[in-house]
Amino acid sequence: MSVLILALLCGAVVGLALGALGGGGGVLAVPALVYLLGLAPADAGTTSLVVVTITSVTALARHAGTGNIRWRTGALFAAAGVAPAIGASVLAHRIPQALLTTAFAVLAAFAALVMLRGLRAARGATRPVASSRAAAPEQAVAASRSGHAGRTGTPAVQPEPPRAATSTEAADAGGIEAPSRSVGRAGYVRTAMAGAGLGAVTGLLGVGGGFLAVPALVSVLRLPMRKAVGTSLVVILINSVVSLATRMAAGGTSLDLAVFGPFVGAAVLGAWDGKRLAAKLSGAALQRTFAVVLLAMAAFMLIDVIV
């Protein structure tokens, strides 16, 4: 198979993953570029950063009119990662390839575990809703019986009044932003540390790190999930642009245009098809499949380093 066809196929698969899952493209792109197209890990990271940057701009434009982006929060979060991203980008070509491969394998395994954990949490959160729906017919039967029982002198059991939705639930259902709790000084320290860590990962390994940014924005800054997803695009874009510019300015990157052009073009086009795929298939099934692929890929990379 020629390099052109292989680059097109790999780029299309990465684009489908980006479009269907909204992230994870960099984690999938780097191993494909290294093991299937023969690029060095540092050069593969640079190509991956181009894909992440272009797709982040596209996704950010799509989310801009939804009100789910905290521009200032995203900029401040990313600002903490600018210096680590620059330093890590400079070091990317000076670190042994075996160490880079090992670090990337650990990151891929961690990303897979985060996805699987999120799926379990989402499944557990839906169980009470399902049980309450199943209990609705039983409450109707009990109500009819209570009316009959009232005529015979037996006290009727009145159903509990509906519980008022909390502000967080109302925000998730209606798109209204819930009032965020005070972050505090310790929260700002954790935010700076999370932003610095994400910038270092982006600069060193060439991945956007959306799977790390979203949990940090939710847990540290108390953002609702939809706003965290939109705001994470700002963080990913800034870190990717800084890392890419640093790598190009350092002059240690040699891009193979025969691989770079077809791969990036196919990835961008595949991202649009990935959106249609996400509308037809179950999001949980897509994430579960992607997580399994990441775990298998991480195991393969570690075995390759050891052997």
Side-chain angles (χ1 to χ4, degrees):
M1 186 179 296
S2 66
V3 174
L4 175 61
I5 296 177
L6 193 57
L8 288 172
L9 290 176
C10 292
V13 171
V14 170
L16 284 173
L18 277 167
L21 301 174
V27 180
L28 195 59
V30 173
L33 291 166
V34 171
Y35 289 99
L36 298 180
L37 294 171
L39 269 66
D43 295 334
T46 302
T47 304
S48 172
L49 283 174
V50 176
V51 176
V52 172
T53 300
I54 295 176
T55 53
S56 296
V57 171
T58 304
L60 197 59
R62 191 172 71 251
H63 283 79
T66 63
N68 288 330
I69 301 177
R70 293 271 195 90
W71 296 96
R72 182 181 178 184
T73 301
L76 292 176
F77 190 92
V82 168
I86 294 175
S89 299
V90 173
L91 292 175
H93 288 274
R94 302 180 182 180
I95 296 177
Q97 294 188 14
L99 185 58
L100 278 179
T101 303
T102 302
F104 195 93
V106 172
L107 180 68
F110 179 74
L113 294 176
V114 169
M115 286 186 178
L116 293 175
R117 181 182 178 183
L119 288 174
R120 285 196 298 269
R123 187 166 56 248
T126 57
R127 284 176 182 171
V129 177
S131 61
S132 63
R133 289 177 179 173
E138 298 179 2
Q139 293 177 356
V141 174
S144 63
R145 290 178 178 175
S146 66
H148 177 72
R151 291 191 296 270
T152 59
T154 305
V157 178
Q158 298 295 331
E160 295 183 1
R163 178 180 61 85
T166 62
S167 58
T168 303
E169 292 169 343
D172 186 61
I176 303 173
E177 182 179 346
S180 58
R181 287 172 285 177
S182 177
V183 177
R185 183 175 299 178
Y188 286 116
V189 173
R190 291 195 299 269
T191 301
M193 293 176 61
L198 182 62
V201 168
T202 302
L204 186 64
L205 302 179
V207 297
F211 61 94
L212 297 175
V214 173
L217 290 169
V218 171
S219 61
V220 177
L221 296 182
R222 308 291 194 265
L223 292 184
M225 178 57 70
R226 283 183 293 180
K227 291 189 180 295
V229 172
T231 306
S232 70
L233 293 172
V234 180
V235 181
I236 293 169
L237 179 60
I238 294 176
N239 284 337
S240 299
V241 169
V242 170
S243 300
L244 182 61
T246 303
R247 288 184 179 222
M248 301 302 292
T253 302
S254 57
L255 295 178
D256 187 351
L257 296 181
V259 173
F260 176 82
F263 188 94
V264 174
V268 173
L269 293 177
W272 291 102
D273 291 331
K275 298 174 189 175
R276 303 189 191 100
L277 181 65
K280 296 179 180 179
L281 300 179
S282 168
L286 287 171
Q287 290 191 33
R288 191 178 297 109
T289 302
F290 189 68
V292 171
V293 171
L294 283 181
L295 284 175
M297 182 186 67
F300 173 79
M301 296 175 76
L302 288 175
I303 292 174
D304 181 68
V305 172
I306 295 174
V307 175

